[in-house]
Amino acid sequence: GAGVSQTPSNKVTEKGKYVELRCDPISGHTALYWYRQSLGQGPEFLIYFQGTGAADDSGLPNDRFFAVRPEGSVSTLKIQRTERGDSAVYLCASSTTTGAANNEQFFGPGTRLTVL
Amino acid sequence: GDSVTQMEGPVTLSEEAFLTINCTYTATGYPSLFWYVQYPGEGLQLLLKATKADDKGSNKGFEATYRKETTSFHLEKGSVQVSDSAVYFCALRYNQGGKLIFGQGTELSVKP
């Protein structure tokens, strides 16, 4: 079946612009996660959703970052007033639930964001 | 806070050599531990996991044992192949929290 998909695969923008990154989780997965991976580093957690609600947004770096999941499926990560330091690969993952030890997170291919 | 530390890479080995990638963690509770792998041009994939102390996770010839006394989860493989060349990430997760906390990754390069 289809895995997690993310669009666009690459996004180049200018400093100060607004961007939206989209994630389509695996069908039926109720939990959705966003991570950010800088060059040479491991992924860093940003936010996760259980259904439509953000269950934990403790990883969002500041109020320029916001994410929504209005119907409990597709999610959009929104970044306002982009800065060069926002350049990274943004990863999305989904799983069946958040709580159980055996629920694997399946990752998408990521969106590479470059802020010039 | 909780964190994961991996040995620095790159690690370069010849085919059929023995592999160890060290991973240690700091945790306030009792997390599950994971190894993820990122092959060139591909997304992150779960390699193996262990959910409690003394559990051994294994997959594709790779193994790792959850050692609470040394707070470690070292990845091992007896005989690596060129196709194992990838970046390996150690991670922890609390069941209640859901989020994964990753180490910085270790690049492995296997030469024929």
Side-chain angles (χ1 to χ4, degrees):
Chain A
V4 177
S5 62
Q6 293 185 246
T7 54
S9 55
N10 279 284
K11 176 70 176 178
V12 180
T13 191
E14 293 180 342
K15 181 176 179 297
K17 299 290 188 183
Y18 169 83
V19 297
E20 290 189 350
L21 312 179
R22 176 187 167 109
C23 173
D24 280 89
I26 293 172
S27 177
H29 280 191
T30 57
L32 184 146
Y33 309 79
W34 284 99
Y35 295 86
R36 177 168 71 172
Q37 186 175 16
S38 300
L39 191 63
Q41 300 297 315
E44 291 180 298
F45 169 77
L46 296 176
I47 185 171
Y48 87 76
F49 291 87
Q50 179 62 25
T52 60
D56 181 355
D57 64 357
S58 63
L60 294 177
N62 52 60
D63 61 6
R64 295 187 297 105
F65 289 75
F66 189 70
V68 296
R69 195 185 185 200
E71 297 179 358
S73 179
V74 170
S75 176
T76 305
L77 179 66
K78 308 180 181 195
I79 310 174
Q80 298 178 322
R81 304 183 303 280
T82 52
E83 299 178 357
R84 292 194 179 89
D86 299 334
S87 297
V89 176
Y90 289 81
L91 298 172
C92 178
S94 70
S95 71
T96 52
T97 65
T98 59
N102 293 323
N103 288 330
E104 179 180 348
Q105 291 184 24
F106 293 86
F107 283 80
T111 293
R112 182 176 299 278
L113 175 66
T114 302
V115 182
L116 301 177
Chain B
D2 301 324
S3 64
V4 176
T5 302
Q6 298 180 226
M7 64 186 286
E8 288 204 14
V11 174
T12 303
L13 296 174
S14 298
E15 207 165 21
E16 299 184 3
F18 184 85
L19 168 71
T20 300
I21 300 178
N22 290 338
C23 170
T24 58
Y25 67 92
T26 301
T28 53
Y30 303 97
S32 296
L33 300 175
F34 303 81
W35 278 100
Y36 279 80
V37 59
Q38 192 168 35
Y39 296 105
E42 299 185 18
L44 273 170
Q45 302 173 27
L46 178 64
L47 180 60
L48 54 84
K49 64 185 178 187
T51 59
K52 61 185 187 296
D54 299 326
D55 269 2
K56 178 186 283 189
S58 61
N59 186 26
K60 299 182 181 180
F62 291 89
E63 292 183 340
T65 301
Y66 190 160
R67 301 286 188 201
K68 185 180 170 187
E69 63 276 12
T70 54
T71 62
S72 65
F73 193 54
H74 305 320
L75 183 68
E76 297 183 336
K77 186 175 185 182
S79 176
V80 293
Q81 305 300 312
V82 172
S83 57
D84 294 326
S85 298
V87 182
Y88 292 81
F89 295 92
C90 185
L92 67 82
R93 189 189 80 193
Y94 291 105
N95 298 341
Q96 296 78 6
K99 66 184 179 186
L100 286 158
I101 297 172
F102 287 90
Q104 75 272 31
T106 303
E107 182 181 359
L108 170 66
S109 177
V110 180
K111 307 297 185 185

